[in-house]
Amino acid sequence: MGAVEVLLEFMHSELVDYVTESSKKGDLSTLEYAGFISGYRIIERLTKDWPRFKDELETLKFICTDFWTSIYKKQIDNLRTNHQGVYVLQDNAFRFLSRISSGSQYLEMAPKYVSFTCGLLRGALANLGINCLVTAEIQPMPTCKFHIQVQQKTV
Amino acid sequence: MPVHNLYIFNRYGTLLYYTEWNRLKHSGITLEEEAKLMYGMLFSIKSFVAKISPLDIKKGFLCYKTNKYTLNYFETPTGLKFILNTDVGAQNVRDLLQQMYSQVYIEYVVKNPIINLNEPIKSELFKQKLDTFIKQYPVFNNNLKSL
C-alpha cells in the first residue's frame, strides 16, 4: 500500500480523534456530518460517466462495487435486502477496523471509526435521490455491517 | 528451537513489547529490570562499536554471538530497536527483522489509531500476527540445521 493510501487512514483517525476530543463523549454527529458532505460531493464525481440508475437496488449495487472500491479498495462482501427499503451491506474486513483488532478487544472504541463511513453512505445516497438512515453494527471486528433504511417518499 | 525471545524498544528506551517463545533460562529479575539492563547494554555496545571502529561505520552494531545463542539487533532510522535472540545457527535473521518491522509493526501498530506509539503495545491482533509471522519463518522450526 502506497503512502497516498495510508494518508486517508491517518487523516481519518486524526479526524476521529479531533472530533471526539473536542465534543462531549459519545457525540459522533459531527463526524457523521463530515462523512455526509464528503459522500455527497464524491458521488458527483464518481458517477459523472454513468447513465442513470434503473432503480434503488441498482444504485445500491453501484455503492457496493464501484463506490466502495474507489474509497476502501475492496468491494462490499455481502448485500442483503428485504425489498422494502432495508439494505444490509457487510464488509468482512472493513479498512478502518482491520488494523485495530480481530475480535472483541477495543470493541468499545469501534463506533468512532465507523460513523464517518455511515455519513459517507448517507451523503452518497442522498445525492442519488435516496433519503435514508444509516447505522452500523460491529461484531466481531473487523466485520462491519451497515444498515440502510430508506425513508418512504412523501407523496 | 532456534528463536528464543524478542524485545522492541523505542527511541527513548521504553520497552514497547516483549515476548518469548523458547526461553530455557530466566534471568531471575523482573522484566522491567531486565529491559533496562538490556537497553543499557545495547546503548553501550552501540557507542563502543562506533568509537572503536577503524573505518567509517555504515550499519553499526548488528549482532553478537556466544556459543549458545545469537543476539540480533535491528534499528530503524526512527530509533526503534528490535532485538531477537536466536540459536547460533539461525540465518537471515536480519531480513526477518526487517520484514517483521515492515509487515507486522507498521501494519498493526503504526496503522492502528488506538495504539499510542510510545507506550507498551497491548494489542491482541499485533501479538497474534507477530506469532504467525515468526512461526511461518524457516528459522523458527528449522532446528536440525543449527544443531
Side-chain angles (χ1 to χ4, degrees), chain B residues 41-85:
Chain B
M41 176 190 69
L42 292 168
F43 190 88
S44 309
I45 292 183
K46 238 180 82 176
S47 55
F48 177 69
V49 163
K51 284 196 187 89
I52 209 76
S53 168
L55 301 166
D56 264 4
I57 46 159
K58 292 205 171 71
K59 288 179 180 161
F61 169 53
L62 301 178
C63 66
Y64 75 66
K65 279 183 188 184
T66 72
N67 48 10
K68 289 287 182 194
Y69 77 103
T70 303
L71 178 142
N72 301 274
Y73 178 79
F74 173 73
E75 185 174 343
T76 70
T78 53
L80 273 167
K81 294 158 185 76
F82 291 77
I83 293 101
L84 189 70
N85 287 314

mmCIF file of all heavy atoms in Angstrom, chain B residues 41-85:
data_model
loop_
_atom_site.group_PDB
_atom_site.id
_atom_site.type_symbol
_atom_site.label_atom_id
_atom_site.label_comp_id
_atom_site.label_asym_id
_atom_site.label_seq_id
_atom_site.Cartn_x
_atom_site.Cartn_y
_atom_site.Cartn_z
ATOM 1 N N MET B 41 22.890 -2.095 28.004
ATOM 2 C CA MET B 41 23.984 -2.826 27.363
ATOM 3 C C MET B 41 24.055 -2.463 25.873
ATOM 4 O O MET B 41 25.137 -2.193 25.349
ATOM 5 C CB MET B 41 23.773 -4.325 27.522
ATOM 6 C CG MET B 41 24.829 -5.123 26.791
ATOM 7 S SD MET B 41 24.465 -6.873 26.718
ATOM 8 C CE MET B 41 23.073 -6.895 25.623
ATOM 9 N N LEU B 42 22.900 -2.447 25.224
ATOM 10 C CA LEU B 42 22.878 -2.152 23.792
ATOM 11 C C LEU B 42 23.389 -0.744 23.512
ATOM 12 O O LEU B 42 24.128 -0.509 22.567
ATOM 13 C CB LEU B 42 21.453 -2.297 23.243
ATOM 14 C CG LEU B 42 20.932 -3.725 23.242
ATOM 15 C CD1 LEU B 42 19.437 -3.735 22.979
ATOM 16 C CD2 LEU B 42 21.660 -4.567 22.210
ATOM 17 N N PHE B 43 22.981 0.153 24.382
ATOM 18 C CA PHE B 43 23.414 1.547 24.253
ATOM 19 C C PHE B 43 24.935 1.643 24.323
ATOM 20 O O PHE B 43 25.573 2.295 23.504
ATOM 21 C CB PHE B 43 22.757 2.365 25.369
ATOM 22 C CG PHE B 43 22.919 3.835 25.204
ATOM 23 C CD1 PHE B 43 22.002 4.550 24.461
ATOM 24 C CD2 PHE B 43 23.978 4.504 25.800
ATOM 25 C CE1 PHE B 43 22.135 5.918 24.290
ATOM 26 C CE2 PHE B 43 24.137 5.868 25.645
ATOM 27 C CZ PHE B 43 23.210 6.574 24.892
ATOM 28 N N SER B 44 25.502 0.908 25.305
ATOM 29 C CA SER B 44 26.955 0.913 25.463
ATOM 30 C C SER B 44 27.641 0.274 24.260
ATOM 31 O O SER B 44 28.623 0.811 23.748
ATOM 32 C CB SER B 44 27.357 0.147 26.723
ATOM 33 O OG SER B 44 26.621 0.612 27.809
ATOM 34 N N ILE B 45 27.121 -0.886 23.847
ATOM 35 C CA ILE B 45 27.741 -1.564 22.709
ATOM 36 C C ILE B 45 27.741 -0.645 21.490
ATOM 37 O O ILE B 45 28.735 -0.529 20.781
ATOM 38 C CB ILE B 45 27.002 -2.889 22.371
ATOM 39 C CG1 ILE B 45 27.210 -3.900 23.482
ATOM 40 C CG2 ILE B 45 27.524 -3.464 21.051
ATOM 41 C CD1 ILE B 45 26.581 -5.249 23.224
ATOM 42 N N LYS B 46 26.623 0.016 21.286
ATOM 43 C CA LYS B 46 26.498 0.881 20.122
ATOM 44 C C LYS B 46 27.570 1.981 20.108
ATOM 45 O O LYS B 46 28.246 2.191 19.106
ATOM 46 C CB LYS B 46 25.112 1.524 20.100
ATOM 47 C CG LYS B 46 24.329 1.233 18.848
ATOM 48 C CD LYS B 46 22.979 1.899 18.884
ATOM 49 C CE LYS B 46 23.072 3.344 18.469
ATOM 50 N NZ LYS B 46 21.759 3.986 18.399
ATOM 51 N N SER B 47 27.714 2.642 21.233
ATOM 52 C CA SER B 47 28.693 3.739 21.245
ATOM 53 C C SER B 47 30.122 3.193 21.225
ATOM 54 O O SER B 47 31.001 3.787 20.608
ATOM 55 C CB SER B 47 28.467 4.670 22.431
ATOM 56 O OG SER B 47 28.479 3.941 23.611
ATOM 57 N N PHE B 48 30.300 2.039 21.852
ATOM 58 C CA PHE B 48 31.628 1.419 21.835
ATOM 59 C C PHE B 48 32.027 1.062 20.405
ATOM 60 O O PHE B 48 33.119 1.371 19.934
ATOM 61 C CB PHE B 48 31.632 0.172 22.720
ATOM 62 C CG PHE B 48 32.917 -0.586 22.714
ATOM 63 C CD1 PHE B 48 34.066 -0.045 23.295
ATOM 64 C CD2 PHE B 48 33.004 -1.826 22.106
ATOM 65 C CE1 PHE B 48 35.260 -0.744 23.275
ATOM 66 C CE2 PHE B 48 34.205 -2.524 22.086
ATOM 67 C CZ PHE B 48 35.334 -1.987 22.677
ATOM 68 N N VAL B 49 31.087 0.405 19.710
ATOM 69 C CA VAL B 49 31.328 -0.018 18.332
ATOM 70 C C VAL B 49 31.657 1.186 17.447
ATOM 71 O O VAL B 49 32.560 1.153 16.624
ATOM 72 C CB VAL B 49 30.101 -0.804 17.783
ATOM 73 C CG1 VAL B 49 30.134 -0.900 16.267
ATOM 74 C CG2 VAL B 49 30.056 -2.192 18.392
ATOM 75 N N ALA B 50 30.937 2.260 17.681
ATOM 76 C CA ALA B 50 31.163 3.458 16.872
ATOM 77 C C ALA B 50 32.550 4.050 17.144
ATOM 78 O O ALA B 50 33.220 4.527 16.230
ATOM 79 C CB ALA B 50 30.079 4.485 17.170
ATOM 80 N N LYS B 51 32.991 3.998 18.398
ATOM 81 C CA LYS B 51 34.277 4.600 18.755
ATOM 82 C C LYS B 51 35.455 3.752 18.314
ATOM 83 O O LYS B 51 36.471 4.260 17.882
ATOM 84 C CB LYS B 51 34.344 4.796 20.271
ATOM 85 C CG LYS B 51 33.525 5.979 20.747
ATOM 86 C CD LYS B 51 33.926 6.371 22.149
ATOM 87 C CE LYS B 51 33.003 7.437 22.699
ATOM 88 N NZ LYS B 51 31.831 6.833 23.381
ATOM 89 N N ILE B 52 35.304 2.454 18.445
ATOM 90 C CA ILE B 52 36.441 1.556 18.233
ATOM 91 C C ILE B 52 36.669 1.247 16.756
ATOM 92 O O ILE B 52 37.737 0.802 16.378
ATOM 93 C CB ILE B 52 36.208 0.255 19.067
ATOM 94 C CG1 ILE B 52 37.541 -0.360 19.477
ATOM 95 C CG2 ILE B 52 35.366 -0.755 18.325
ATOM 96 C CD1 ILE B 52 38.205 0.381 20.597
ATOM 97 N N SER B 53 35.650 1.497 15.940
ATOM 98 C CA SER B 53 35.739 1.118 14.525
ATOM 99 C C SER B 53 36.876 1.822 13.800
ATOM 100 O O SER B 53 37.011 3.044 13.884
ATOM 101 C CB SER B 53 34.416 1.442 13.831
ATOM 102 O OG SER B 53 34.589 1.330 12.438
ATOM 103 N N PRO B 54 37.717 1.036 13.097
ATOM 104 C CA PRO B 54 38.826 1.639 12.361
ATOM 105 C C PRO B 54 38.375 2.306 11.059
ATOM 106 O O PRO B 54 39.127 3.059 10.462
ATOM 107 C CB PRO B 54 39.739 0.460 12.060
ATOM 108 C CG PRO B 54 38.831 -0.722 12.042
ATOM 109 C CD PRO B 54 37.708 -0.428 12.968
ATOM 110 N N LEU B 55 37.179 1.983 10.623
ATOM 111 C CA LEU B 55 36.651 2.553 9.382
ATOM 112 C C LEU B 55 35.349 3.274 9.678
ATOM 113 O O LEU B 55 34.785 3.140 10.757
ATOM 114 C CB LEU B 55 36.360 1.432 8.365
ATOM 115 C CG LEU B 55 37.535 0.541 7.964
ATOM 116 C CD1 LEU B 55 37.040 -0.690 7.248
ATOM 117 C CD2 LEU B 55 38.514 1.331 7.114
ATOM 118 N N ASP B 56 34.867 3.983 8.670
ATOM 119 C CA ASP B 56 33.550 4.599 8.820
ATOM 120 C C ASP B 56 32.509 3.504 8.989
ATOM 121 O O ASP B 56 32.498 2.543 8.235
ATOM 122 C CB ASP B 56 33.215 5.414 7.558
ATOM 123 C CG ASP B 56 33.567 6.872 7.764
ATOM 124 O OD1 ASP B 56 34.121 7.192 8.840
ATOM 125 O OD2 ASP B 56 33.301 7.668 6.856
ATOM 126 N N ILE B 57 31.633 3.671 9.963
ATOM 127 C CA ILE B 57 30.625 2.630 10.126
ATOM 128 C C ILE B 57 29.396 2.998 9.311
ATOM 129 O O ILE B 57 29.020 4.155 9.236
ATOM 130 C CB ILE B 57 30.232 2.397 11.603
ATOM 131 C CG1 ILE B 57 29.984 3.733 12.310
ATOM 132 C CG2 ILE B 57 31.273 1.593 12.304
ATOM 133 C CD1 ILE B 57 29.162 3.611 13.527
ATOM 134 N N LYS B 58 28.801 1.966 8.721
ATOM 135 C CA LYS B 58 27.575 2.202 7.960
ATOM 136 C C LYS B 58 26.373 1.699 8.722
ATOM 137 O O LYS B 58 25.490 2.448 9.094
ATOM 138 C CB LYS B 58 27.672 1.529 6.594
ATOM 139 C CG LYS B 58 28.727 2.196 5.708
ATOM 140 C CD LYS B 58 28.428 1.977 4.254
ATOM 141 C CE LYS B 58 29.344 2.805 3.363
ATOM 142 N NZ LYS B 58 30.751 2.294 3.366
ATOM 143 N N LYS B 59 26.375 0.404 8.984
ATOM 144 C CA LYS B 59 25.214 -0.170 9.667
ATOM 145 C C LYS B 59 25.380 -0.211 11.185
ATOM 146 O O LYS B 59 24.423 -0.377 11.909
ATOM 147 C CB LYS B 59 24.950 -1.584 9.152
ATOM 148 C CG LYS B 59 24.377 -1.598 7.737
ATOM 149 C CD LYS B 59 24.167 -3.032 7.297
ATOM 150 C CE LYS B 59 23.607 -3.097 5.886
ATOM 151 N NZ LYS B 59 23.831 -4.433 5.308
ATOM 152 N N GLY B 60 26.639 -0.103 11.629
ATOM 153 C CA GLY B 60 26.867 -0.148 13.058
ATOM 154 C C GLY B 60 26.732 -1.543 13.620
ATOM 155 O O GLY B 60 26.996 -2.533 12.943
ATOM 156 N N PHE B 61 26.294 -1.596 14.861
ATOM 157 C CA PHE B 61 26.203 -2.877 15.570
ATOM 158 C C PHE B 61 25.079 -3.744 14.999
ATOM 159 O O PHE B 61 23.953 -3.285 14.853
ATOM 160 C CB PHE B 61 25.969 -2.566 17.052
ATOM 161 C CG PHE B 61 25.588 -3.754 17.875
ATOM 162 C CD1 PHE B 61 26.374 -4.911 17.864
ATOM 163 C CD2 PHE B 61 24.455 -3.722 18.678
ATOM 164 C CE1 PHE B 61 26.014 -6.002 18.638
ATOM 165 C CE2 PHE B 61 24.098 -4.804 19.446
ATOM 166 C CZ PHE B 61 24.874 -5.947 19.431
ATOM 167 N N LEU B 62 25.390 -4.992 14.645
ATOM 168 C CA LEU B 62 24.386 -5.869 14.035
ATOM 169 C C LEU B 62 24.011 -7.068 14.901
ATOM 170 O O LEU B 62 22.849 -7.439 14.992
ATOM 171 C CB LEU B 62 24.890 -6.396 12.691
ATOM 172 C CG LEU B 62 25.239 -5.348 11.630
ATOM 173 C CD1 LEU B 62 25.770 -6.028 10.397
ATOM 174 C CD2 LEU B 62 24.036 -4.504 11.286
ATOM 175 N N CYS B 63 25.018 -7.684 15.514
ATOM 176 C CA CYS B 63 24.710 -8.843 16.356
ATOM 177 C C CYS B 63 25.918 -9.215 17.198
ATOM 178 O O CYS B 63 27.018 -8.742 16.954
ATOM 179 C CB CYS B 63 24.309 -10.044 15.497
ATOM 180 S SG CYS B 63 25.650 -10.669 14.480
ATOM 181 N N TYR B 64 25.677 -10.001 18.229
ATOM 182 C CA TYR B 64 26.815 -10.674 18.892
ATOM 183 C C TYR B 64 26.449 -12.121 19.114
ATOM 184 O O TYR B 64 25.268 -12.484 19.139
ATOM 185 C CB TYR B 64 27.235 -9.956 20.185
ATOM 186 C CG TYR B 64 26.344 -10.126 21.387
ATOM 187 C CD1 TYR B 64 26.192 -11.372 22.016
ATOM 188 C CD2 TYR B 64 25.682 -9.034 21.958
ATOM 189 C CE1 TYR B 64 25.394 -11.522 23.144
ATOM 190 C CE2 TYR B 64 24.887 -9.168 23.077
ATOM 191 C CZ TYR B 64 24.744 -10.419 23.668
ATOM 192 O OH TYR B 64 23.954 -10.559 24.779
ATOM 193 N N LYS B 65 27.486 -12.940 19.267
ATOM 194 C CA LYS B 65 27.252 -14.376 19.451
ATOM 195 C C LYS B 65 27.948 -14.876 20.693
ATOM 196 O O LYS B 65 29.052 -14.434 21.012
ATOM 197 C CB LYS B 65 27.828 -15.149 18.257
ATOM 198 C CG LYS B 65 26.925 -15.160 17.059
ATOM 199 C CD LYS B 65 27.522 -16.010 15.955
ATOM 200 C CE LYS B 65 26.679 -15.828 14.710
ATOM 201 N NZ LYS B 65 27.118 -16.666 13.607
ATOM 202 N N THR B 66 27.327 -15.757 21.392
ATOM 203 C CA THR B 66 28.031 -16.528 22.406
ATOM 204 C C THR B 66 28.050 -17.941 21.842
ATOM 205 O O THR B 66 27.573 -18.159 20.736
ATOM 206 C CB THR B 66 27.284 -16.506 23.750
ATOM 207 O OG1 THR B 66 26.125 -17.320 23.626
ATOM 208 C CG2 THR B 66 26.875 -15.101 24.153
ATOM 209 N N ASN B 67 28.526 -18.919 22.593
ATOM 210 C CA ASN B 67 28.483 -20.247 21.983
ATOM 211 C C ASN B 67 27.105 -20.900 22.090
ATOM 212 O O ASN B 67 26.858 -21.947 21.528
ATOM 213 C CB ASN B 67 29.607 -21.153 22.489
ATOM 214 C CG ASN B 67 29.710 -21.128 23.989
ATOM 215 O OD1 ASN B 67 28.814 -20.571 24.640
ATOM 216 N ND2 ASN B 67 30.762 -21.677 24.538
ATOM 217 N N LYS B 68 26.190 -20.255 22.795
ATOM 218 C CA LYS B 68 24.848 -20.829 22.910
ATOM 219 C C LYS B 68 23.763 -20.075 22.145
ATOM 220 O O LYS B 68 22.735 -20.636 21.802
ATOM 221 C CB LYS B 68 24.437 -20.890 24.389
ATOM 222 C CG LYS B 68 25.188 -21.917 25.196
ATOM 223 C CD LYS B 68 24.729 -23.324 24.855
ATOM 224 C CE LYS B 68 25.470 -24.348 25.731
ATOM 225 N NZ LYS B 68 25.308 -25.713 25.213
ATOM 226 N N TYR B 69 23.946 -18.799 21.979
ATOM 227 C CA TYR B 69 22.893 -18.035 21.307
ATOM 228 C C TYR B 69 23.451 -16.817 20.552
ATOM 229 O O TYR B 69 24.598 -16.414 20.775
ATOM 230 C CB TYR B 69 21.822 -17.582 22.303
ATOM 231 C CG TYR B 69 22.210 -16.412 23.172
ATOM 232 C CD1 TYR B 69 21.726 -15.141 22.892
ATOM 233 C CD2 TYR B 69 23.063 -16.567 24.255
ATOM 234 C CE1 TYR B 69 22.077 -14.053 23.677
ATOM 235 C CE2 TYR B 69 23.427 -15.495 25.047
ATOM 236 C CZ TYR B 69 22.932 -14.231 24.761
ATOM 237 O OH TYR B 69 23.282 -13.157 25.522
ATOM 238 N N THR B 70 22.607 -16.252 19.675
ATOM 239 C CA THR B 70 22.973 -15.024 18.962
ATOM 240 C C THR B 70 21.968 -13.945 19.313
ATOM 241 O O THR B 70 20.768 -14.199 19.326
ATOM 242 C CB THR B 70 22.920 -15.236 17.439
ATOM 243 O OG1 THR B 70 23.786 -16.309 17.107
ATOM 244 C CG2 THR B 70 23.363 -13.992 16.689
ATOM 245 N N LEU B 71 22.471 -12.751 19.588
ATOM 246 C CA LEU B 71 21.573 -11.620 19.772
ATOM 247 C C LEU B 71 21.608 -10.800 18.490
ATOM 248 O O LEU B 71 22.668 -10.342 18.075
ATOM 249 C CB LEU B 71 22.008 -10.779 20.974
ATOM 250 C CG LEU B 71 21.173 -9.505 21.251
ATOM 251 C CD1 LEU B 71 21.010 -9.317 22.754
ATOM 252 C CD2 LEU B 71 21.806 -8.262 20.643
ATOM 253 N N ASN B 72 20.461 -10.685 17.850
ATOM 254 C CA ASN B 72 20.365 -9.935 16.600
ATOM 255 C C ASN B 72 19.737 -8.586 16.868
ATOM 256 O O ASN B 72 18.684 -8.501 17.504
ATOM 257 C CB ASN B 72 19.493 -10.703 15.602
ATOM 258 C CG ASN B 72 20.055 -12.072 15.322
ATOM 259 O OD1 ASN B 72 20.909 -12.237 14.466
ATOM 260 N ND2 ASN B 72 19.595 -13.067 16.079
ATOM 261 N N TYR B 73 20.406 -7.555 16.370
ATOM 262 C CA TYR B 73 19.973 -6.198 16.666
ATOM 263 C C TYR B 73 19.600 -5.491 15.371
ATOM 264 O O TYR B 73 20.343 -5.514 14.393
ATOM 265 C CB TYR B 73 21.123 -5.472 17.356
ATOM 266 C CG TYR B 73 20.880 -4.029 17.688
ATOM 267 C CD1 TYR B 73 20.121 -3.685 18.796
ATOM 268 C CD2 TYR B 73 21.447 -3.013 16.920
ATOM 269 C CE1 TYR B 73 19.910 -2.351 19.121
ATOM 270 C CE2 TYR B 73 21.240 -1.683 17.244
ATOM 271 C CZ TYR B 73 20.476 -1.362 18.349
ATOM 272 O OH TYR B 73 20.286 -0.042 18.671
ATOM 273 N N PHE B 74 18.425 -4.877 15.350
ATOM 274 C CA PHE B 74 17.983 -4.153 14.169
ATOM 275 C C PHE B 74 17.397 -2.818 14.605
ATOM 276 O O PHE B 74 16.483 -2.779 15.427
ATOM 277 C CB PHE B 74 16.928 -4.991 13.426
ATOM 278 C CG PHE B 74 16.265 -4.273 12.283
ATOM 279 C CD1 PHE B 74 16.953 -4.034 11.107
ATOM 280 C CD2 PHE B 74 14.957 -3.848 12.393
ATOM 281 C CE1 PHE B 74 16.348 -3.371 10.051
ATOM 282 C CE2 PHE B 74 14.329 -3.174 11.338
ATOM 283 C CZ PHE B 74 15.036 -2.941 10.172
ATOM 284 N N GLU B 75 17.973 -1.746 14.072
ATOM 285 C CA GLU B 75 17.483 -0.432 14.459
ATOM 286 C C GLU B 75 17.002 0.320 13.224
ATOM 287 O O GLU B 75 17.649 0.319 12.182
ATOM 288 C CB GLU B 75 18.603 0.359 15.140
ATOM 289 C CG GLU B 75 18.119 1.689 15.674
ATOM 290 C CD GLU B 75 19.176 2.433 16.481
ATOM 291 O OE1 GLU B 75 20.166 1.832 16.902
ATOM 292 O OE2 GLU B 75 18.992 3.654 16.678
ATOM 293 N N THR B 76 15.845 0.944 13.343
ATOM 294 C CA THR B 76 15.296 1.693 12.216
ATOM 295 C C THR B 76 15.779 3.147 12.280
ATOM 296 O O THR B 76 16.256 3.590 13.324
ATOM 297 C CB THR B 76 13.757 1.707 12.264
ATOM 298 O OG1 THR B 76 13.356 2.522 13.367
ATOM 299 C CG2 THR B 76 13.180 0.315 12.428
ATOM 300 N N PRO B 77 15.661 3.886 11.180
ATOM 301 C CA PRO B 77 16.076 5.299 11.209
ATOM 302 C C PRO B 77 15.330 6.118 12.261
ATOM 303 O O PRO B 77 15.818 7.145 12.723
ATOM 304 C CB PRO B 77 15.739 5.789 9.800
ATOM 305 C CG PRO B 77 15.743 4.578 8.956
ATOM 306 C CD PRO B 77 15.257 3.469 9.827
ATOM 307 N N THR B 78 14.154 5.651 12.655
ATOM 308 C CA THR B 78 13.386 6.378 13.657
ATOM 309 C C THR B 78 13.770 5.981 15.082
ATOM 310 O O THR B 78 13.170 6.458 16.036
ATOM 311 C CB THR B 78 11.882 6.137 13.473
ATOM 312 O OG1 THR B 78 11.645 4.730 13.442
ATOM 313 C CG2 THR B 78 11.367 6.756 12.197
ATOM 314 N N GLY B 79 14.738 5.084 15.191
ATOM 315 C CA GLY B 79 15.224 4.728 16.514
ATOM 316 C C GLY B 79 14.544 3.555 17.183
ATOM 317 O O GLY B 79 14.830 3.226 18.332
ATOM 318 N N LEU B 80 13.654 2.905 16.474
ATOM 319 C CA LEU B 80 13.052 1.691 17.030
ATOM 320 C C LEU B 80 14.090 0.589 17.019
ATOM 321 O O LEU B 80 14.855 0.475 16.064
ATOM 322 C CB LEU B 80 11.892 1.237 16.146
ATOM 323 C CG LEU B 80 10.549 1.837 16.414
ATOM 324 C CD1 LEU B 80 9.635 1.509 15.248
ATOM 325 C CD2 LEU B 80 9.950 1.255 17.686
ATOM 326 N N LYS B 81 14.078 -0.204 18.078
ATOM 327 C CA LYS B 81 15.080 -1.267 18.164
ATOM 328 C C LYS B 81 14.413 -2.616 18.338
ATOM 329 O O LYS B 81 13.599 -2.796 19.230
ATOM 330 C CB LYS B 81 16.007 -0.978 19.344
ATOM 331 C CG LYS B 81 16.825 0.270 19.133
ATOM 332 C CD LYS B 81 17.326 0.842 20.443
ATOM 333 C CE LYS B 81 18.039 2.166 20.207
ATOM 334 N NZ LYS B 81 17.096 3.280 19.962
ATOM 335 N N PHE B 82 14.760 -3.523 17.461
ATOM 336 C CA PHE B 82 14.241 -4.886 17.533
ATOM 337 C C PHE B 82 15.391 -5.800 17.931
ATOM 338 O O PHE B 82 16.421 -5.817 17.270
ATOM 339 C CB PHE B 82 13.692 -5.332 16.175
ATOM 340 C CG PHE B 82 12.442 -4.611 15.765
ATOM 341 C CD1 PHE B 82 12.507 -3.313 15.282
ATOM 342 C CD2 PHE B 82 11.201 -5.224 15.868
ATOM 343 C CE1 PHE B 82 11.354 -2.638 14.904
ATOM 344 C CE2 PHE B 82 10.045 -4.553 15.493
ATOM 345 C CZ PHE B 82 10.120 -3.257 15.012
ATOM 346 N N ILE B 83 15.198 -6.550 19.002
ATOM 347 C CA ILE B 83 16.249 -7.459 19.458
ATOM 348 C C ILE B 83 15.675 -8.861 19.502
ATOM 349 O O ILE B 83 14.718 -9.135 20.219
ATOM 350 C CB ILE B 83 16.781 -7.075 20.858
ATOM 351 C CG1 ILE B 83 17.515 -5.739 20.765
ATOM 352 C CG2 ILE B 83 17.719 -8.117 21.405
ATOM 353 C CD1 ILE B 83 16.690 -4.585 21.246
ATOM 354 N N LEU B 84 16.269 -9.730 18.704
ATOM 355 C CA LEU B 84 15.785 -11.098 18.644
ATOM 356 C C LEU B 84 16.924 -12.040 19.004
ATOM 357 O O LEU B 84 17.974 -12.022 18.375
ATOM 358 C CB LEU B 84 15.275 -11.404 17.233
ATOM 359 C CG LEU B 84 14.529 -12.716 17.041
ATOM 360 C CD1 LEU B 84 13.174 -12.662 17.740
ATOM 361 C CD2 LEU B 84 14.335 -13.007 15.569
ATOM 362 N N ASN B 85 16.695 -12.858 20.022
ATOM 363 C CA ASN B 85 17.689 -13.849 20.384
ATOM 364 C C ASN B 85 17.362 -15.167 19.701
ATOM 365 O O ASN B 85 16.250 -15.670 19.803
ATOM 366 C CB ASN B 85 17.707 -14.053 21.900
ATOM 367 C CG ASN B 85 18.330 -12.868 22.606
ATOM 368 O OD1 ASN B 85 19.373 -12.381 22.191
ATOM 369 N ND2 ASN B 85 17.683 -12.398 23.654
#
